[in-house]
Amino acid sequence: MEKEKVFQQLFSMSFTPMLVMNMDGDIQILNEACCHLFKTTEERLLSCNVFEEPNRFFIEKHEVEPLRKQEEEVVLLKKKVDQQFPMHIHIQRTEGDIPLLVVQWKEFSSSIEKQEEVIRKMKQYKQFVQQSQDAFIVTREGRIQYLNPAGVKLLGGEKKEEYIGRSWLHFIHPEHLEIVKERMVQLMNGMSVRPRVDVKLLTKKGIVIIESSATKIKFEGQDAIQYIIRDVTDRKKYDEMASKSEKLTMVSKLAAGVAHEIRNPMTAIKGFIQLLKASKQYNEEYNDIMLEELNRVESIIQEFLTLAKPKIENSYHPKSLNQIIRHVTLHYY
């Protein structure tokens, strides 16, 4: 009871115009400075609804909507109509069974403006982290202190409370455990590390491949490490499939080339066999050409087999240029 009396005295004596209202805008209590600001009596103001008189209180109902979603504070910059000077309106939500809003009107100052800008940027960053598709995980002394909804989803859980306080190394695949440990030590000692690394995680969904970047930050006043993580499991599978597809394409082109090379000597052999059949006489020259073409086919097949088991050395043999030219002319004349 003594504390409540002290609070009421401080509230009443404050030079800052203040009032307390419920979430619907009905005023519950206010101080004398508030009466002075609006140039009316306490009784008159207690009968007012803040949202129903936006031209007097400079507060729109939609502007306090974030406070219904558990935000702690809203800061508005408004210009008073009759005096034409800017004012800051601070609105804070109280804890309790019945939430109330404490409203303060403060004259504009550059320091407050800077403070408002910092708060605004922090809220924007917080909103970005909460809505990001990438996982944000903060660890301190190797234990998880914070993770966003994407981080919970990445680890296969339903609530962040499942992971707060647990060892981050518990989720690292043994294959990459030493790399992550070394990286953590380097970061905490202020050393530079590779900006991005691929690591395997052990999650409730199984093994997940991630791409992560890590930064040393201050979290609740203490040194910590912030990880920004992206699940690249599907991308790795796609890259592997694309690589296999590319290899199959190369093999198909190679097979087509080999078939073309074999078809040429086989056509010559077939032609000379037909000539021998038509003439019904043995022709040693035709026979030699067919044997050469068969040797050529064998050579092509051997080169094809070399792809499976490459030879270190290539053997070269002298050939008669006249014989080669004569061999070609027999094909085309």
Side-chain angles (χ1 to χ4, degrees):
M1 294 297 294
E2 289 296 326
K3 290 181 179 179
E4 290 181 5
K5 288 181 180 180
V6 172
F7 169 76
Q8 290 176 357
Q9 289 179 357
L10 291 173
F11 182 82
S12 301
M13 295 170 60
S14 174
F15 290 105
T16 301
M18 291 189 291
L19 63 79
V20 179
M21 65 179 184
N22 61 22
M23 299 298 290
D24 295 323
D26 297 321
I27 300 174
Q28 307 297 307
I29 57 173
L30 51 92
N31 62 2
E32 187 176 342
C34 192
C35 297
H36 178 73
L37 173 66
F38 297 110
K39 299 178 181 179
T40 187
T41 63
E42 180 178 355
E43 292 76 12
R44 173 70 183 88
L45 289 175
L46 287 173
S47 65
C48 295
N49 182 287
V50 171
F51 300 140
E52 293 176 357
E53 300 186 46
N55 292 332
R56 172 185 292 219
F57 297 101
F58 319 110
I59 302 174
E60 301 282 351
K61 190 173 183 178
H62 67 86
E63 293 175 323
V64 300
E65 193 62 28
L67 294 168
R68 295 181 184 271
K69 301 175 182 177
Q70 303 300 320
E71 288 288 341
E72 298 177 356
E73 182 179 16
V74 170
V75 182
L76 309 175
L77 178 62
K78 295 295 179 87
K79 184 172 287 187
K80 202 168 185 299
V81 177
D82 55 349
Q83 298 183 24
Q84 295 295 310
F85 66 87
M87 297 189 71
H88 283 92
I89 304 175
H90 290 248
I91 309 174
Q92 291 179 294
R93 176 193 174 108
T94 64
E95 299 296 331
D97 297 333
I98 302 176
L100 298 172
L101 302 180
V102 180
V103 186
Q104 302 178 62
W105 285 265
K106 297 181 180 180
E107 291 188 17
F108 172 83
S109 70
S110 58
S111 60
I112 295 178
E113 183 70 11
K114 291 178 181 178
Q115 182 183 7
E116 179 188 358
E117 180 67 15
V118 172
I119 293 173
R120 184 180 64 81
K121 288 182 178 180
M122 288 179 64
K123 288 183 177 179
Q124 286 179 343
Y125 180 73
K126 181 180 178 182
Q127 185 178 16
F128 165 75
V129 170
Q130 286 293 108
Q131 297 179 355
S132 175
Q133 297 300 308
D134 292 334
F136 281 71
I137 297 178
V138 177
T139 67
R140 185 169 60 218
E141 296 180 352
R143 297 196 171 273
I144 299 173
Q145 305 297 314
Y146 169 82
L147 67 167
N148 67 344
V152 177
K153 182 179 179 181
L154 174 70
L155 297 177
E158 296 181 359
K159 298 185 295 184
K160 65 180 181 181
E161 285 74 19
E162 298 178 42
Y163 301 102
I164 300 298
R166 295 180 64 179
S167 171
W168 171 237
L169 296 176
H170 173 78
F171 301 97
I172 307 299
H173 193 280
E175 184 180 329
H176 297 110
L177 194 58
E178 292 302 320
I179 296 173
V180 174
K181 284 182 179 179
E182 183 181 357
R183 189 175 170 83
M184 291 171 67
V185 172
Q186 290 175 339
L187 281 167
M188 295 306 291
N189 290 333
M191 300 170 63
S192 59
V193 297
R194 289 172 56 192
R196 291 184 181 275
V197 293
D198 290 348
V199 174
K200 291 181 181 177
L201 287 186
L202 303 174
T203 73
K204 291 183 178 180
K205 300 180 294 183
I207 297 176
V208 174
I209 303 174
I210 63 167
E211 181 183 77
S212 70
S213 62
T215 312
K216 183 180 178 181
I217 63 169
K218 286 287 184 181
F219 184 80
E220 296 180 347
Q222 299 183 33
D223 290 338
I225 298 175
Q226 176 181 267
Y227 295 93
I228 303 177
I229 300 170
R230 177 168 296 178
D231 185 348
V232 295
T233 307
D234 292 339
R235 192 180 76 188
K236 292 290 184 182
K237 289 180 180 178
Y238 172 79
D239 291 344
E240 185 177 346
M241 290 174 61
S243 177
K244 288 182 179 179
S245 177
E246 185 178 354
K247 289 178 181 178
L248 288 173
T249 302
M250 293 176 63
V251 169
S252 65
K253 289 181 178 180
L254 179 61
V258 171
H260 178 74
E261 289 296 321
I262 291 177
R263 185 185 292 116
N264 290 336
M266 292 302 293
T267 301
I269 294 171
K270 183 179 178 181
F272 284 117
I273 290 175
Q274 290 173 339
L275 289 173
L276 288 172
K277 185 178 180 181
S279 63
K280 296 181 181 181
Q281 292 182 1
Y282 174 76
N283 189 315
E284 187 175 354
E285 190 174 18
Y286 289 175
N287 187 60
D288 291 341
I289 292 173
M290 286 190 289
L291 287 174
E292 287 181 13
E293 293 296 338
L294 286 172
N295 289 334
R296 184 181 172 195
V297 171
E298 185 180 4
S299 174
I300 292 170
I301 294 172
Q302 187 61 41
E303 288 179 4
F304 187 70
L305 293 174
T306 304
L307 294 174
K309 190 176 181 181
K311 291 183 179 179
I312 299 175
E313 296 181 357
N314 290 319
S315 57
Y316 297 95
H317 303 285
K319 294 288 183 178
S320 170
L321 184 59
N322 290 332
Q323 185 181 0
I324 293 173
I325 294 174
R326 184 166 175 273
H327 177 76
V328 174
T329 56
L330 278 171
H331 279 61
Y332 296 100
Y333 296 98

